[in-house]
Amino acid sequence: MDKTLTHAQIEAAVKEAYQECKDITGGKNADYIPFLANIDPNLFGLSVTLPDGTTFNIGDTDYKFGIESVSKVLTAILILKQHGAEAVLKQIGADATGLPFNSIFAILLENDHPSTPLVNAGAITACSMVNPKGDSWGKWEAIINNITALCGSESEVIDELYKSESETNFNNRAISWLLKNYNRIYDDVDMSLDLYTRQCSVGITASQLSICAATIANRGFNPVTKTQVFDPQLAPKITTLISSVGFYQNTGDWLYTSGIPAKSGVGGGVLGVLPGVMGIAAFAPPLDPAGNSVKAQAAIKAVMKKLDLGVFNGDRVTVTA
Ligand code: GLN
């Protein structure tokens, strides 16, 4: 069906969803990274960016929180840009693991692939693939410049978070060396893990993430900076990765109930992409047992429901002022 939505309808849905979800309790801040345990659990922001660059922000959308696993999407885009879709499929894979984000078991089950760039194993491999090879500083510049281009403004590492994660990332060290054993780390192992840890520690706002989501929804064209950040052909590849594994072992339930491909991070952020229609991001620190923000999930679902949107609805959606 053809479906038309106005800016006013979308703005109203965002405001109502925020009001409905702001008092939701439940969930718990991530505490395996000590810094995250101390973030105010009441912070809550919701942001939608449309293909014409219009953004609706409500709540704590300027608060800089740890991007964590949402960064995996951004660096996946970088290696897709640098190496192409075929190489990423061959060197990492594009399959869901059906297991938690930090699963070692998943690597053992599929020992010749880290499965997908959107779980820890594949994301560390992705960092090992970033060019220029062997040059830690050059690789970091490529990663952070790509984040800036996608989000439309600069961001930087939260030093305390980076320190906290580096001091406690024993499981990720095990993952890195296991991958090395399977010849799936394509650069120095410690450097690759350090780049991964650093990218997870970048401070980002919900508003920046919704611009990034809109850039993906807009086939690589950032609607705020008006620049083509990546080849339009790569957009369906990245949305496929998000659809298949964005919520780890809960991804099917998420897509079934929300209707929108989305990626979460243990900092409490969620980025959702509705191709051609909008980018959405929500942030609230308390997480469910799989590591996905309770309130951010509720808020995004509420917006989708109010606007009767869904990636599989089969509607041709037009957004007008
Ligand atoms: N930096 C975190 C980790 O490696 C990211 C996990 C996440 O956000 N799901 O465990």
Side-chain angles (χ1 to χ4, degrees):
M1 271 191 345
D2 287 322
K3 181 178 168 74
T4 303
L5 288 173
T6 64
H7 283 194
Q9 282 173 306
I10 297 171
E11 186 172 21
V14 171
K15 283 187 175 154
E16 283 169 28
Y18 178 85
Q19 291 306 332
E20 277 174 27
C21 297
K22 74 178 185 352
D23 298 322
I24 289 178
T25 53
K28 200 166 144 289
N29 283 28
D31 56 9
Y32 75 100
I33 299 170
F35 178 89
L36 297 177
N38 298 322
I39 305 292
D40 178 357
N42 297 313
L43 288 162
F44 177 38
L46 178 60
S47 174
V48 165
T49 301
L50 302 178
D52 68 357
T54 306
T55 295
F56 303 115
N57 284 326
I58 183 157
D60 301 308
T61 51
D62 287 332
Y63 181 86
K64 285 189 184 293
F65 57 93
I67 186 171
E68 297 298 343
S69 281
V70 181
S71 69
K72 291 166 177 160
V73 173
L74 288 74
T75 298
I77 292 172
L78 177 61
I79 58 163
L80 282 165
K81 276 172 82 165
Q82 291 187 339
H83 301 272
E86 198 51 47
V88 170
L89 183 66
K90 242 175 93 196
Q91 293 186 249
I92 299 181
D95 245 340
T97 61
L99 288 164
F101 58 84
N102 54 3
S103 177
I104 288 179
F105 195 48
I107 307 169
L108 296 170
L109 282 173
E110 210 168 331
N111 67 21
D112 83 329
H113 268 84
S115 295
T116 161
L118 302 195
V119 298
N120 291 19
I124 296 166
T125 298
C127 287
S128 81
M129 285 174 70
V130 170
N131 285 327
K133 193 172 157 74
D135 171 3
S136 162
W137 181 244
K139 282 164 85 99
W140 175 248
E141 277 214 312
I143 290 171
I144 198 80
N145 290 343
N146 178 59
I147 294 176
T148 302
L150 287 164
C151 296
S153 55
E154 285 184 13
S155 45
E156 53 192 32
V157 168
I158 303 172
D159 288 330
E160 255 186 282
L161 175 56
Y162 173 52
K163 189 166 176 284
S164 183
E165 264 192 69
S166 301
E167 285 169 356
T168 53
N169 63 352
F170 308 114
N171 190 80
N172 287 340
R173 290 184 214 177
I175 288 176
S176 307
W177 284 102
L178 190 58
L179 288 171
K180 170 75 177 167
N181 183 54
Y182 292 129
N183 295 318
R184 290 289 169 184
I185 295 285
Y186 307 105
D187 206 337
D188 181 80
V189 181
D190 290 327
M191 184 202 291
S192 305
L193 174 61
D194 180 57
L195 288 165
Y196 167 76
T197 310
R198 229 187 295 173
Q199 77 173 28
C200 286
S201 309
V202 165
I204 205 85
T205 68
S207 155
Q208 285 177 306
L209 279 188
S210 91
I211 293 169
C212 174
T215 303
I216 302 168
N218 224 3
R219 299 200 70 172
F221 184 77
N222 185 319
V224 173
T225 60
K226 312 283 181 214
T227 42
Q228 189 71 41
V229 179
F230 60 86
D231 182 346
Q233 306 282 344
L234 296 177
K237 302 297 182 211
I238 194 71
T239 311
T240 300
L241 294 173
I242 296 172
S243 305
S244 58
V245 77
F247 276 64
Y248 314 112
Q249 67 272 40
N250 289 355
T251 306
D253 287 353
W254 164 259
L255 202 50
Y256 188 93
T257 51
S258 69
I260 182 168
K263 178 77 200 82
S264 66
V266 291
V270 175
L271 160 153
V273 178
L274 198 60
V277 182
M278 67 175 181
I280 186 166
F283 155 65
L287 310 176
D288 68 15
N292 305 316
S293 167
V294 172
K295 234 189 243 189
Q297 290 183 71
I300 293 175
K301 277 185 191 172
V303 171
M304 294 296 290
K305 190 154 180 239
K306 284 175 193 303
L307 297 173
D308 188 26
L309 289 170
V311 70
F312 300 121
N313 287 10
D315 292 332
R316 269 187 304 271
V317 183
T318 310
V319 179
T320 62

